[in-house]
Amino acid sequence: MSETESVDAVRTAAERQAAGEGVVAEMLGEEFLAANMKAMQAGEGAASSMGRLALEHVFGDIWTRPGLARRDRSLITLGVLMAQGHQTEIGNHVVAGRANGLSPEEILEAVLHTVPYIGYPAAGQAMATATRVLGQA
């Protein structure tokens, strides 16, 4: 068993949730954490479970893994979200990318880099989202 696997195996759900909350707060702010992640989790049924899973798995497990810097994870995440056309999440991760050390120029260059891979329409929408969010920052 690798060191990463052994660390993952001993972390409880509460520890992963706490780690996830810390990552979200650092990248997107306490207000975002409360208004989005914790609010979703406070609901009932599937939405509550989705909020819990996002904090535990996405941010508590994946974003806290060793091996890649958060800056690198932000570039990868932005590329994937651009390819899938998830504009709201692109906006969130532009903010996160800035918190993780990406400059506005690097974010816009990342969008431009996607053009031959995801096409002009998707990249154009991503560019509009990124420039809008960067203009608000």
Side-chain angles (χ1 to χ4, degrees), residues 41-125:
Q41 201 171 6
E44 294 182 16
S48 175
S49 295
M50 186 177 230
R52 179 184 50 77
L53 287 170
L55 282 170
E56 286 179 29
H57 179 65
V58 176
F59 295 104
D61 284 334
I62 302 301
W63 278 85
T64 61
R65 289 183 57 79
L68 289 174
R70 280 195 193 165
R71 183 183 190 289
D72 300 328
R73 290 182 191 281
S74 281
L75 279 172
I76 293 165
T77 302
L78 281 166
V80 170
L81 293 171
M82 287 182 236
Q84 294 177 334
H86 297 298
Q87 299 309 310
T88 300
E89 287 299 316
I90 291 168
N92 291 340
H93 283 277
V94 165
V95 173
R98 294 288 292 129
N100 290 332
L102 294 174
S103 71
E105 294 79 15
E106 289 171 318
I107 291 169
L108 296 177
E109 189 63 32
V111 176
L112 185 61
H113 183 79
T114 67
V115 172
Y117 303 99
I118 68 173
Y120 283 97
Q125 290 177 344

Side-chain angles (χ1 to χ4, degrees), residues 3 16 21 37 54 86 91 109:
E3 181 180 329
R16 292 191 320 271
E21 289 176 5
M37 308 301 289
H86 297 298
E109 189 63 32

